[in-house]
Amino acid sequence: MKLSTFKLLYVCPLLVLFYSNPFVVIAISQTEIVKCSFSAIIAFGDSILDTGNNNYIETFLKANFKPYGKDFIGAKSTGRFCNGKIPSDLFAEKLGVKEALPPYLDSNLKIEDLLTGVSFASAGSGYDPVTVKLTRALSVEDQLNMFKEYIGKLKAAVGEEKTTLTLTKSLFLVSMGSNDISVTYFLTSFRKNDYDIQEYTSMLVNMSSKFLQELYQLGARRIGIIGLSPIGCVPMQRTVRGGSERKCVESVNQASMIYNSKFSSSIMDLNTRFPDARLVYLENYSKLSGLIQQYNQSGFEVADDACCGIGNLEFGFICNFLSLKVCNDASKYVFWDGYHPTERTYNILVSEAITKHIDKFVSNTFLSN
């Protein structure tokens, strides 16, 4: 299991890091087995973590058609907005939980699938209710209600005690907010007329804090919250607002950074309020920005255009079977479509997150960071 320059091997009650060159072994002793293993991965949010829930609802935001999924298991178009796996899958795979994370709305799921985790995320979702009305995605409330239903199913199948233990040992992932800023605020006037960006990001942070508190009340204890990326640099933003040279849209990137700063402070406050919880801010803005700006150093060939679809509005911002251009090798591209990274990009970002932050889920060290 390759994670940047070193490999991780989980052996309870030891967390062992094997460095490849030079060979070094570091063992971090853990007193509780529960702190060095994850029983399940449970995801909430938007398209970054949606593994196919939008297939089952009435929304125009779907990815259950080719060429989506061309590099996924069996080359299936599952509803993931990517050529292959997305972060929810990659966290599950790299942490040894399972090969891919299923969507909760898949009616074929068995109790064994539920016990090791599902995704409640919905492409196009956001904290802002206006965003959900625009995209017809599953709202924060919808996702929480599905989670409550999920808990009920676990209790009916394995009992309350095992359900509580499963939730305690699970890693919860949250990724939301990019649609609120990039679409609702900057591409429409619904919020911009009433809020400046400082006010709007503060409102989003308050909504996100409330959501995390509700997750805590429902039993979540280890929560990784993915920060916003440089969304002003995605191909669609470059095309729509980047001018003739298709530059990154700095106003959008600045908004992401403002939100991230406030959001990370909010998470620190929640950790103080809930000392038995492990809420970890997973910063990814700088890493993805680096991949975009120095893409050649990471083996990419294209960072300002998408593998699927050209950087214009030819057939919309999402690639589809009408797209005139689908690259042969998605691993050479930072972005798969107008908004979403390729599996290779996601793999780098998830590996970085695990490398930098896994210890924060198994200790109190992050509270002082």
Side-chain angles (χ1 to χ4, degrees):
M1 181 161 48
K2 294 182 179 179
L3 296 181
S4 296
T5 59
F6 62 87
K7 297 181 180 179
L8 280 160
L9 176 63
Y10 290 84
V11 183
C12 290
L14 297 177
L15 176 62
V16 184
L17 308 183
F18 289 90
Y19 282 78
S20 58
N21 187 22
F23 185 81
V24 181
V25 177
I26 302 174
I28 304 173
S29 177
Q30 301 293 342
T31 58
E32 296 176 294
I33 292 178
V34 69
K35 290 184 178 180
C36 62
S37 64
F38 297 98
S39 61
I41 303 295
I42 300 174
F44 298 85
D46 53 28
S47 57
I48 303 302
L49 300 176
D50 180 7
T51 56
N53 284 310
N54 276 22
N55 296 347
Y56 306 95
I57 65 174
E58 292 185 7
T59 176
F60 62 91
L61 290 176
K62 295 180 185 288
N64 55 350
F65 48 82
K66 294 185 182 303
Y68 284 98
K70 78 181 191 73
D71 299 312
F72 190 71
I73 304 166
K76 294 180 180 178
S77 302
T78 60
R80 291 166 171 82
F81 283 77
C82 189
N83 62 298
K85 292 183 178 181
I86 59 177
S88 38
D89 302 310
L90 294 168
F91 272 102
E93 179 184 33
K94 292 177 182 296
L95 295 177
V97 177
K98 54 186 173 184
E99 188 175 18
L101 199 70
Y104 176 70
L105 293 181
D106 183 350
S107 60
N108 296 316
L109 295 183
K110 300 177 181 179
I111 188 60
E112 292 79 11
D113 300 311
L114 297 178
L115 284 169
T116 51
V118 293
S119 172
F120 298 98
S122 174
S125 190
Y127 294 113
D128 190 342
V130 173
T131 301
V132 177
K133 289 182 180 179
L134 291 171
T135 62
R136 299 178 68 182
L138 295 170
S139 67
V140 167
E141 290 76 16
D142 292 331
Q143 295 183 36
L144 284 172
N145 287 334
M146 291 193 302
F147 180 49
K148 293 175 185 177
E149 182 182 74
Y150 164 84
I151 294 174
K153 290 180 180 180
L154 291 189
K155 288 181 178 179
V158 300
E160 185 165 351
E161 183 176 350
K162 186 171 181 180
T163 296
T164 300
L165 181 60
T166 297
L167 297 180
T168 301
K169 295 178 64 178
S170 295
L171 173 61
F172 289 75
L173 296 172
V174 178
S175 175
M176 214 178 311
S178 61
N179 294 313
D180 298 319
I181 289 177
S182 65
V183 177
T184 303
Y185 191 82
F186 280 103
L187 292 184
T188 77
S189 60
F190 291 110
R191 291 301 195 186
K192 191 179 294 186
N193 290 339
D194 297 320
Y195 301 90
D196 62 28
I197 195 60
Q198 290 288 348
E199 293 168 334
Y200 187 65
T201 51
S202 293
M203 182 179 75
L204 291 180
V205 169
N206 289 336
M207 292 176 176
S208 64
S209 177
K210 179 182 177 182
F211 172 68
L212 294 174
Q213 290 177 65
E214 291 186 77
L215 278 185
Y216 175 86
Q217 296 300 330
L218 290 170
R221 290 297 179 269
R222 294 190 286 186
I223 310 174
I225 310 98
I226 302 172
L228 298 189
S229 62
I231 48 182
C233 290
V234 302
M236 181 59 176
Q237 287 287 340
R238 289 175 181 263
T239 297
V240 174
R241 307 185 68 231
S244 59
E245 297 182 6
R246 298 185 67 250
K247 294 182 178 180
C248 292
V249 185
E250 291 308 317
S251 59
V252 180
N253 283 345
Q254 184 66 28
S256 294
M257 289 189 285
I258 292 171
Y259 172 84
N260 285 341
S261 177
K262 295 178 180 180
F263 191 36
S264 60
S265 297
S266 172
I267 293 172
M268 291 178 64
D269 291 339
L270 289 176
N271 277 315
T272 302
R273 290 180 57 185
F274 305 118
D276 62 328
R278 303 286 184 269
L279 286 84
V280 181
Y281 173 64
L282 305 177
E283 193 276 337
N284 79 112
Y285 185 102
S286 58
K287 184 64 176 181
L288 182 53
S289 180
L291 291 179
I292 294 170
Q293 301 302 326
Q294 290 91 37
Y295 57 92
N296 286 326
Q297 295 180 15
S298 298
F300 292 104
E301 295 182 3
V302 182
D304 61 349
D305 207 350
C307 169
C308 183
I310 306 173
N312 56 37
L313 302 180
E314 148 192 294
F315 290 114
F317 64 88
I318 300 175
C319 77
N320 54 43
F321 65 93
L322 294 174
S323 297
L324 296 179
K325 178 201 134 190
V326 180
C327 70
N328 292 324
D329 186 356
S331 69
K332 296 179 180 179
Y333 284 71
V334 174
F335 291 98
W336 162 248
D337 64 15
Y339 272 108
H340 307 96
T342 57
E343 177 182 331
R344 180 163 179 257
T345 302
Y346 278 141
N347 192 41
I348 293 172
L349 296 175
V350 171
S351 295
E352 171 95 351
I354 292 176
T355 299
K356 291 177 64 175
H357 301 293
I358 194 65
D359 64 306
K360 298 175 185 178
F361 290 108
V362 298
S363 72
N364 288 315
T365 57
F366 72 96
L367 292 174
S368 60
N369 287 351

